[in-house]
Amino acid sequence: MEQRWGLPLIAWPSRLRPNLWDLAALPLVLGALALVAWGGMAMGAHYQLGEPLSISLDPWRLPEYALRTVLRMAAALVVSLAFSFPYAALAAKSRQAEKILIPVLDILQSVPVLGFLSITVTGFIALFPGRLLGVECAAIFAIFTSQAWNMTFSLYQSLRTVPVELTEAARMYHLSAWQRFWRLEVPHGVPPLIWNMMMSVSAGWFFVVASEAITVSGQSILLPGIGSYIATAIDQRDLGAIGYALLVMLVVILLYDQLLFRPLLAWSRKFRSDADAEEYDVRPWFLLVMQRARFFDLLQSTVLALNRSLDRAIVAGSRHWMPARETQPPSAAAIRLFDLGLLAVASAAVVWLVAFVRQDVSADEIGWVVLLGALTALRVVILIALASLIWVPIGVSIGLRPQIAERVQPIVQFLSAFPANLLFPAAVVLILRFDLNPEIWLSPLMILGTQWYILFNVIAGTAALPAELKLVASNLGVRRWLWWRRIMLPAIFPAYVTGAVTAAGGSWNASIVAEVVQWGDTTLHATGIGAYIAEYTAAGDPARIALGIGVLCLYVIAFNRLLWHRLYELSIERLRLD
């Protein structure tokens, strides 16, 4: 063996030797780790409730604030993924669990983000006494509530619509439930999930102002971040500071588009089995760096080896502890008993809520609040219909053109991330200037931040359209309305339903801030359940807050059960027939 300085030389395998791509990858990785470590130390700083946290409008502080906000949103995204996989899987695979989990998800989606924040902030602060981490966790949880529901709905819809031929192939290969989930069902749901992750992160910017400005025991806490920077700029009417914040937001969106979502989208195309996937085979620069750098290759090999070991251990354990046998479906009597128990629990909850509300609220007022909910429901239905007429054709046009989709993606991300509440003062000025009716012209504010759910899901559904189907339509000369009715609308229908459900839920949520708009000393009101909840939240009336949120949740559940759930079942049935 060759020796140097008296020591034997060991030949490194070629895959372990650094190359030129590692020179680009290593600084990025080390820089990211350093920034995360610095942000983590800042989050865990010492803090006593009552200490002021001042926010400076100096533009040079914005990079620091942007990093703090991005770390919160990244933490919320990780928690949202950890929540979505088990929740969606259980709801999709168990009909009994679905009867509980999906209505609960409907309710969670309709509860205002501020409602979650006011309930949880005290508990988080108690978990970490003397540390800022408690307030940080409350802010992360608030952002989580703006991201998780959309991602969960998307994954649930994908797990319910796995093609029958793929399920049959999994049975032929005798895959266990664990293997079938990770090797078939999750890959099938990855492309729409990534699109909805993009939408969730972008939509999180809408709530970042509320999540970083927290009130506890009458004290307002402004966490360092872009949201609190914008809130301070609005409070001081500093348009220049708002402009700087929007510019930094644009830079941040472009960065996570280049470093996260473009590589993820390109990676997700490997799960497409049709010939049209080659048309979308555009590898972004950061994905090239990760694929060619030996550092990432070694890291990937390590992760894959651990994953294979875990997979084998779980499969072996499941076969040892749960021997293969045909699972018997529950009997009709058991299903009926479960449904009766579920109905009894729901009825008891309604009775308790009515008893709590009736202590301070008359029956006439309850009827009036139900009518207010109907007015807001009318606004939501009209807005979703208008948004669908606008964004479905545009989303299909973008999804059919991969090159355009690559260019449009960051633009749509910025538009969806733009805090729509910054436009509320402009709406007040225009309504007063042209003497417009607030009942009508405040309504579009409800969908400014949620309409993008429809666009993102339609683009994802169109991009997943099999190439064979497009070739058949072209060969048969299917054109115009027949093409829409027979080819495109059925193909994108499941994805559209997912987008419409989350857009409608977001609109109900946004009604609380859109039906009452303020700029300076001027306040405009639109009649609806959102304005009712906002009014009594400011007054601190728990009975009427519970009444308003309860009626809002009942409307959301009714719409989802009577309309969206049936559309889901229709889309699943059509896929099975195909």
PDB file of all heavy atoms in Angstrom, residues 211-243:
ATOM      1  N   SER A 211     -50.670  37.427  13.735  1.00  0.00           N
ATOM      2  CA  SER A 211     -49.964  36.435  14.551  1.00  0.00           C
ATOM      3  C   SER A 211     -48.765  37.031  15.280  1.00  0.00           C
ATOM      4  O   SER A 211     -48.337  36.488  16.304  1.00  0.00           O
ATOM      5  CB  SER A 211     -49.499  35.271  13.675  1.00  0.00           C
ATOM      6  OG  SER A 211     -48.552  35.706  12.721  1.00  0.00           O
ATOM      7  N   GLU A 212     -48.194  38.132  14.774  1.00  0.00           N
ATOM      8  CA  GLU A 212     -47.035  38.725  15.428  1.00  0.00           C
ATOM      9  C   GLU A 212     -47.406  39.888  16.359  1.00  0.00           C
ATOM     10  O   GLU A 212     -46.528  40.428  17.015  1.00  0.00           O
ATOM     11  CB  GLU A 212     -46.035  39.211  14.372  1.00  0.00           C
ATOM     12  CG  GLU A 212     -45.381  38.064  13.624  1.00  0.00           C
ATOM     13  CD  GLU A 212     -44.381  38.511  12.573  1.00  0.00           C
ATOM     14  OE1 GLU A 212     -44.303  39.732  12.304  1.00  0.00           O
ATOM     15  OE2 GLU A 212     -43.690  37.658  12.009  1.00  0.00           O
ATOM     16  N   ALA A 213     -48.689  40.242  16.396  1.00  0.00           N
ATOM     17  CA  ALA A 213     -49.167  41.264  17.335  1.00  0.00           C
ATOM     18  C   ALA A 213     -50.134  40.579  18.288  1.00  0.00           C
ATOM     19  O   ALA A 213     -51.286  40.318  17.946  1.00  0.00           O
ATOM     20  CB  ALA A 213     -49.845  42.403  16.590  1.00  0.00           C
ATOM     21  N   ILE A 214     -49.671  40.247  19.496  1.00  0.00           N
ATOM     22  CA  ILE A 214     -50.415  39.412  20.435  1.00  0.00           C
ATOM     23  C   ILE A 214     -50.785  40.246  21.654  1.00  0.00           C
ATOM     24  O   ILE A 214     -49.974  41.019  22.163  1.00  0.00           O
ATOM     25  CB  ILE A 214     -49.570  38.188  20.851  1.00  0.00           C
ATOM     26  CG1 ILE A 214     -49.216  37.362  19.606  1.00  0.00           C
ATOM     27  CG2 ILE A 214     -50.294  37.331  21.866  1.00  0.00           C
ATOM     28  CD1 ILE A 214     -48.286  36.219  19.891  1.00  0.00           C
ATOM     29  N   THR A 215     -52.028  40.056  22.116  1.00  0.00           N
ATOM     30  CA  THR A 215     -52.498  40.761  23.305  1.00  0.00           C
ATOM     31  C   THR A 215     -52.710  39.759  24.431  1.00  0.00           C
ATOM     32  O   THR A 215     -53.447  38.787  24.269  1.00  0.00           O
ATOM     33  CB  THR A 215     -53.806  41.512  23.014  1.00  0.00           C
ATOM     34  OG1 THR A 215     -53.588  42.454  21.957  1.00  0.00           O
ATOM     35  CG2 THR A 215     -54.289  42.244  24.254  1.00  0.00           C
ATOM     36  N   VAL A 216     -52.052  39.987  25.551  1.00  0.00           N
ATOM     37  CA  VAL A 216     -52.173  39.117  26.724  1.00  0.00           C
ATOM     38  C   VAL A 216     -52.394  40.000  27.943  1.00  0.00           C
ATOM     39  O   VAL A 216     -51.607  40.909  28.213  1.00  0.00           O
ATOM     40  CB  VAL A 216     -50.901  38.260  26.935  1.00  0.00           C
ATOM     41  CG1 VAL A 216     -51.113  37.291  28.081  1.00  0.00           C
ATOM     42  CG2 VAL A 216     -50.544  37.513  25.672  1.00  0.00           C
ATOM     43  N   SER A 217     -53.474  39.717  28.662  1.00  0.00           N
ATOM     44  CA  SER A 217     -53.780  40.466  29.895  1.00  0.00           C
ATOM     45  C   SER A 217     -53.788  41.973  29.643  1.00  0.00           C
ATOM     46  O   SER A 217     -53.257  42.752  30.431  1.00  0.00           O
ATOM     47  CB  SER A 217     -52.763  40.112  30.996  1.00  0.00           C
ATOM     48  OG  SER A 217     -52.765  38.729  31.245  1.00  0.00           O
ATOM     49  N   GLY A 218     -54.357  42.362  28.521  1.00  0.00           N
ATOM     50  CA  GLY A 218     -54.448  43.778  28.192  1.00  0.00           C
ATOM     51  C   GLY A 218     -53.168  44.390  27.671  1.00  0.00           C
ATOM     52  O   GLY A 218     -53.123  45.586  27.378  1.00  0.00           O
ATOM     53  N   GLN A 219     -52.101  43.595  27.535  1.00  0.00           N
ATOM     54  CA  GLN A 219     -50.825  44.106  27.042  1.00  0.00           C
ATOM     55  C   GLN A 219     -50.591  43.618  25.628  1.00  0.00           C
ATOM     56  O   GLN A 219     -50.780  42.446  25.309  1.00  0.00           O
ATOM     57  CB  GLN A 219     -49.676  43.637  27.933  1.00  0.00           C
ATOM     58  CG  GLN A 219     -48.312  44.109  27.420  1.00  0.00           C
ATOM     59  CD  GLN A 219     -47.185  43.251  27.937  1.00  0.00           C
ATOM     60  OE1 GLN A 219     -47.411  42.413  28.787  1.00  0.00           O
ATOM     61  NE2 GLN A 219     -45.985  43.447  27.418  1.00  0.00           N
ATOM     62  N   SER A 220     -50.170  44.522  24.746  1.00  0.00           N
ATOM     63  CA  SER A 220     -49.884  44.173  23.358  1.00  0.00           C
ATOM     64  C   SER A 220     -48.400  43.840  23.215  1.00  0.00           C
ATOM     65  O   SER A 220     -47.541  44.607  23.633  1.00  0.00           O
ATOM     66  CB  SER A 220     -50.253  45.331  22.426  1.00  0.00           C
ATOM     67  OG  SER A 220     -49.971  45.006  21.092  1.00  0.00           O
ATOM     68  N   ILE A 221     -48.110  42.659  22.629  1.00  0.00           N
ATOM     69  CA  ILE A 221     -46.736  42.212  22.404  1.00  0.00           C
ATOM     70  C   ILE A 221     -46.496  42.164  20.899  1.00  0.00           C
ATOM     71  O   ILE A 221     -47.190  41.443  20.184  1.00  0.00           O
ATOM     72  CB  ILE A 221     -46.485  40.823  23.015  1.00  0.00           C
ATOM     73  CG1 ILE A 221     -46.790  40.835  24.515  1.00  0.00           C
ATOM     74  CG2 ILE A 221     -45.051  40.378  22.764  1.00  0.00           C
ATOM     75  CD1 ILE A 221     -46.692  39.466  25.159  1.00  0.00           C
ATOM     76  N   LEU A 222     -45.532  42.932  20.426  1.00  0.00           N
ATOM     77  CA  LEU A 222     -45.170  42.936  19.013  1.00  0.00           C
ATOM     78  C   LEU A 222     -43.880  42.149  18.838  1.00  0.00           C
ATOM     79  O   LEU A 222     -42.806  42.611  19.222  1.00  0.00           O
ATOM     80  CB  LEU A 222     -44.996  44.374  18.500  1.00  0.00           C
ATOM     81  CG  LEU A 222     -46.251  45.240  18.401  1.00  0.00           C
ATOM     82  CD1 LEU A 222     -45.886  46.639  17.953  1.00  0.00           C
ATOM     83  CD2 LEU A 222     -47.249  44.629  17.428  1.00  0.00           C
ATOM     84  N   LEU A 223     -43.994  40.946  18.308  1.00  0.00           N
ATOM     85  CA  LEU A 223     -42.810  40.136  18.052  1.00  0.00           C
ATOM     86  C   LEU A 223     -42.029  40.704  16.873  1.00  0.00           C
ATOM     87  O   LEU A 223     -42.636  41.140  15.889  1.00  0.00           O
ATOM     88  CB  LEU A 223     -43.215  38.691  17.749  1.00  0.00           C
ATOM     89  CG  LEU A 223     -43.772  37.879  18.918  1.00  0.00           C
ATOM     90  CD1 LEU A 223     -44.302  36.541  18.406  1.00  0.00           C
ATOM     91  CD2 LEU A 223     -42.714  37.657  19.964  1.00  0.00           C
ATOM     92  N   PRO A 224     -40.716  40.709  16.926  1.00  0.00           N
ATOM     93  CA  PRO A 224     -39.942  41.198  15.789  1.00  0.00           C
ATOM     94  C   PRO A 224     -40.250  40.388  14.530  1.00  0.00           C
ATOM     95  O   PRO A 224     -40.114  39.165  14.517  1.00  0.00           O
ATOM     96  CB  PRO A 224     -38.480  40.997  16.241  1.00  0.00           C
ATOM     97  CG  PRO A 224     -38.540  40.953  17.729  1.00  0.00           C
ATOM     98  CD  PRO A 224     -39.851  40.331  18.064  1.00  0.00           C
ATOM     99  N   GLY A 225     -40.682  41.064  13.489  1.00  0.00           N
ATOM    100  CA  GLY A 225     -41.048  40.394  12.251  1.00  0.00           C
ATOM    101  C   GLY A 225     -41.640  41.369  11.259  1.00  0.00           C
ATOM    102  O   GLY A 225     -41.943  42.524  11.605  1.00  0.00           O
ATOM    103  N   ILE A 226     -41.834  40.909  10.033  1.00  0.00           N
ATOM    104  CA  ILE A 226     -42.393  41.787   9.009  1.00  0.00           C
ATOM    105  C   ILE A 226     -43.831  42.161   9.349  1.00  0.00           C
ATOM    106  O   ILE A 226     -44.269  43.289   9.096  1.00  0.00           O
ATOM    107  CB  ILE A 226     -42.322  41.096   7.628  1.00  0.00           C
ATOM    108  CG1 ILE A 226     -40.871  40.993   7.171  1.00  0.00           C
ATOM    109  CG2 ILE A 226     -43.129  41.861   6.594  1.00  0.00           C
ATOM    110  CD1 ILE A 226     -40.701  40.409   5.795  1.00  0.00           C
ATOM    111  N   GLY A 227     -44.593  41.219   9.931  1.00  0.00           N
ATOM    112  CA  GLY A 227     -45.976  41.525  10.282  1.00  0.00           C
ATOM    113  C   GLY A 227     -46.093  42.654  11.288  1.00  0.00           C
ATOM    114  O   GLY A 227     -46.897  43.576  11.110  1.00  0.00           O
ATOM    115  N   SER A 228     -45.285  42.603  12.347  1.00  0.00           N
ATOM    116  CA  SER A 228     -45.332  43.673  13.346  1.00  0.00           C
ATOM    117  C   SER A 228     -44.775  44.976  12.766  1.00  0.00           C
ATOM    118  O   SER A 228     -45.212  46.071  13.143  1.00  0.00           O
ATOM    119  CB  SER A 228     -44.541  43.261  14.589  1.00  0.00           C
ATOM    120  OG  SER A 228     -43.225  42.873  14.244  1.00  0.00           O
ATOM    121  N   TYR A 229     -43.806  44.872  11.854  1.00  0.00           N
ATOM    122  CA  TYR A 229     -43.284  46.063  11.176  1.00  0.00           C
ATOM    123  C   TYR A 229     -44.404  46.741  10.380  1.00  0.00           C
ATOM    124  O   TYR A 229     -44.578  47.967  10.445  1.00  0.00           O
ATOM    125  CB  TYR A 229     -42.141  45.661  10.260  1.00  0.00           C
ATOM    126  CG  TYR A 229     -41.442  46.803   9.550  1.00  0.00           C
ATOM    127  CD1 TYR A 229     -40.308  47.392  10.093  1.00  0.00           C
ATOM    128  CD2 TYR A 229     -41.907  47.294   8.335  1.00  0.00           C
ATOM    129  CE1 TYR A 229     -39.655  48.436   9.447  1.00  0.00           C
ATOM    130  CE2 TYR A 229     -41.271  48.338   7.681  1.00  0.00           C
ATOM    131  CZ  TYR A 229     -40.141  48.901   8.232  1.00  0.00           C
ATOM    132  OH  TYR A 229     -39.498  49.936   7.582  1.00  0.00           O
ATOM    133  N   ILE A 230     -45.199  45.933   9.641  1.00  0.00           N
ATOM    134  CA  ILE A 230     -46.312  46.488   8.864  1.00  0.00           C
ATOM    135  C   ILE A 230     -47.373  47.065   9.789  1.00  0.00           C
ATOM    136  O   ILE A 230     -47.927  48.143   9.529  1.00  0.00           O
ATOM    137  CB  ILE A 230     -46.905  45.399   7.951  1.00  0.00           C
ATOM    138  CG1 ILE A 230     -45.912  45.034   6.843  1.00  0.00           C
ATOM    139  CG2 ILE A 230     -48.219  45.854   7.330  1.00  0.00           C
ATOM    140  CD1 ILE A 230     -46.368  43.883   5.961  1.00  0.00           C
ATOM    141  N   ALA A 231     -47.671  46.351  10.895  1.00  0.00           N
ATOM    142  CA  ALA A 231     -48.673  46.862  11.838  1.00  0.00           C
ATOM    143  C   ALA A 231     -48.244  48.209  12.416  1.00  0.00           C
ATOM    144  O   ALA A 231     -49.057  49.134  12.546  1.00  0.00           O
ATOM    145  CB  ALA A 231     -48.889  45.846  12.954  1.00  0.00           C
ATOM    146  N   THR A 232     -46.951  48.346  12.756  1.00  0.00           N
ATOM    147  CA  THR A 232     -46.451  49.620  13.287  1.00  0.00           C
ATOM    148  C   THR A 232     -46.501  50.704  12.223  1.00  0.00           C
ATOM    149  O   THR A 232     -46.870  51.858  12.511  1.00  0.00           O
ATOM    150  CB  THR A 232     -45.006  49.441  13.790  1.00  0.00           C
ATOM    151  OG1 THR A 232     -44.963  48.395  14.756  1.00  0.00           O
ATOM    152  CG2 THR A 232     -44.489  50.720  14.414  1.00  0.00           C
ATOM    153  N   ALA A 233     -46.169  50.355  10.978  1.00  0.00           N
ATOM    154  CA  ALA A 233     -46.213  51.340   9.896  1.00  0.00           C
ATOM    155  C   ALA A 233     -47.636  51.811   9.626  1.00  0.00           C
ATOM    156  O   ALA A 233     -47.872  53.005   9.376  1.00  0.00           O
ATOM    157  CB  ALA A 233     -45.607  50.737   8.626  1.00  0.00           C
ATOM    158  N   ILE A 234     -48.601  50.903   9.693  1.00  0.00           N
ATOM    159  CA  ILE A 234     -50.006  51.296   9.503  1.00  0.00           C
ATOM    160  C   ILE A 234     -50.453  52.189  10.646  1.00  0.00           C
ATOM    161  O   ILE A 234     -51.151  53.198  10.443  1.00  0.00           O
ATOM    162  CB  ILE A 234     -50.890  50.040   9.394  1.00  0.00           C
ATOM    163  CG1 ILE A 234     -50.598  49.292   8.085  1.00  0.00           C
ATOM    164  CG2 ILE A 234     -52.366  50.409   9.470  1.00  0.00           C
ATOM    165  CD1 ILE A 234     -51.365  47.988   7.946  1.00  0.00           C
ATOM    166  N   ASP A 235     -50.048  51.829  11.866  1.00  0.00           N
ATOM    167  CA  ASP A 235     -50.446  52.630  13.024  1.00  0.00           C
ATOM    168  C   ASP A 235     -49.892  54.048  12.929  1.00  0.00           C
ATOM    169  O   ASP A 235     -50.559  55.015  13.320  1.00  0.00           O
ATOM    170  CB  ASP A 235     -49.949  51.944  14.295  1.00  0.00           C
ATOM    171  CG  ASP A 235     -50.426  52.650  15.553  1.00  0.00           C
ATOM    172  OD1 ASP A 235     -51.646  52.780  15.723  1.00  0.00           O
ATOM    173  OD2 ASP A 235     -49.569  53.079  16.346  1.00  0.00           O
ATOM    174  N   GLN A 236     -48.663  54.191  12.380  1.00  0.00           N
ATOM    175  CA  GLN A 236     -48.051  55.512  12.243  1.00  0.00           C
ATOM    176  C   GLN A 236     -48.299  56.137  10.866  1.00  0.00           C
ATOM    177  O   GLN A 236     -47.773  57.205  10.567  1.00  0.00           O
ATOM    178  CB  GLN A 236     -46.550  55.407  12.501  1.00  0.00           C
ATOM    179  CG  GLN A 236     -46.208  54.909  13.899  1.00  0.00           C
ATOM    180  CD  GLN A 236     -44.707  54.857  14.152  1.00  0.00           C
ATOM    181  OE1 GLN A 236     -43.911  55.433  13.390  1.00  0.00           O
ATOM    182  NE2 GLN A 236     -44.304  54.206  15.238  1.00  0.00           N
ATOM    183  N   ARG A 237     -49.071  55.448  10.014  1.00  0.00           N
ATOM    184  CA  ARG A 237     -49.387  55.920   8.662  1.00  0.00           C
ATOM    185  C   ARG A 237     -48.128  56.264   7.874  1.00  0.00           C
ATOM    186  O   ARG A 237     -48.049  57.293   7.200  1.00  0.00           O
ATOM    187  CB  ARG A 237     -50.326  57.132   8.715  1.00  0.00           C
ATOM    188  CG  ARG A 237     -51.680  56.830   9.342  1.00  0.00           C
ATOM    189  CD  ARG A 237     -52.637  57.978   9.142  1.00  0.00           C
ATOM    190  NE  ARG A 237     -53.951  57.683   9.696  1.00  0.00           N
ATOM    191  CZ  ARG A 237     -55.031  58.445   9.536  1.00  0.00           C
ATOM    192  NH1 ARG A 237     -54.937  59.576   8.834  1.00  0.00           N
ATOM    193  NH2 ARG A 237     -56.187  58.097  10.053  1.00  0.00           N
ATOM    194  N   ASP A 238     -47.160  55.374   7.944  1.00  0.00           N
ATOM    195  CA  ASP A 238     -45.887  55.563   7.249  1.00  0.00           C
ATOM    196  C   ASP A 238     -45.912  54.737   5.962  1.00  0.00           C
ATOM    197  O   ASP A 238     -45.592  53.541   5.954  1.00  0.00           O
ATOM    198  CB  ASP A 238     -44.728  55.116   8.152  1.00  0.00           C
ATOM    199  CG  ASP A 238     -43.363  55.535   7.612  1.00  0.00           C
ATOM    200  OD1 ASP A 238     -43.240  55.693   6.385  1.00  0.00           O
ATOM    201  OD2 ASP A 238     -42.421  55.688   8.417  1.00  0.00           O
ATOM    202  N   LEU A 239     -46.299  55.371   4.851  1.00  0.00           N
ATOM    203  CA  LEU A 239     -46.403  54.661   3.582  1.00  0.00           C
ATOM    204  C   LEU A 239     -45.035  54.215   3.073  1.00  0.00           C
ATOM    205  O   LEU A 239     -44.911  53.184   2.415  1.00  0.00           O
ATOM    206  CB  LEU A 239     -47.095  55.547   2.538  1.00  0.00           C
ATOM    207  CG  LEU A 239     -48.556  55.909   2.834  1.00  0.00           C
ATOM    208  CD1 LEU A 239     -49.100  56.813   1.739  1.00  0.00           C
ATOM    209  CD2 LEU A 239     -49.408  54.646   2.931  1.00  0.00           C
ATOM    210  N   GLY A 240     -43.986  54.980   3.355  1.00  0.00           N
ATOM    211  CA  GLY A 240     -42.645  54.589   2.943  1.00  0.00           C
ATOM    212  C   GLY A 240     -42.214  53.288   3.589  1.00  0.00           C
ATOM    213  O   GLY A 240     -41.637  52.408   2.931  1.00  0.00           O
ATOM    214  N   ALA A 241     -42.481  53.141   4.890  1.00  0.00           N
ATOM    215  CA  ALA A 241     -42.119  51.906   5.597  1.00  0.00           C
ATOM    216  C   ALA A 241     -42.899  50.723   5.035  1.00  0.00           C
ATOM    217  O   ALA A 241     -42.351  49.611   4.891  1.00  0.00           O
ATOM    218  CB  ALA A 241     -42.387  52.054   7.091  1.00  0.00           C
ATOM    219  N   ILE A 242     -44.180  50.931   4.698  1.00  0.00           N
ATOM    220  CA  ILE A 242     -44.971  49.851   4.095  1.00  0.00           C
ATOM    221  C   ILE A 242     -44.362  49.444   2.754  1.00  0.00           C
ATOM    222  O   ILE A 242     -44.289  48.254   2.413  1.00  0.00           O
ATOM    223  CB  ILE A 242     -46.442  50.295   3.930  1.00  0.00           C
ATOM    224  CG1 ILE A 242     -47.095  50.460   5.297  1.00  0.00           C
ATOM    225  CG2 ILE A 242     -47.217  49.293   3.084  1.00  0.00           C
ATOM    226  CD1 ILE A 242     -48.511  50.970   5.246  1.00  0.00           C
ATOM    227  N   GLY A 243     -43.906  50.409   1.977  1.00  0.00           N
ATOM    228  CA  GLY A 243     -43.262  50.108   0.701  1.00  0.00           C
ATOM    229  C   GLY A 243     -41.998  49.286   0.889  1.00  0.00           C
ATOM    230  O   GLY A 243     -41.754  48.319   0.152  1.00  0.00           O
TER     231      GLY A 243
END
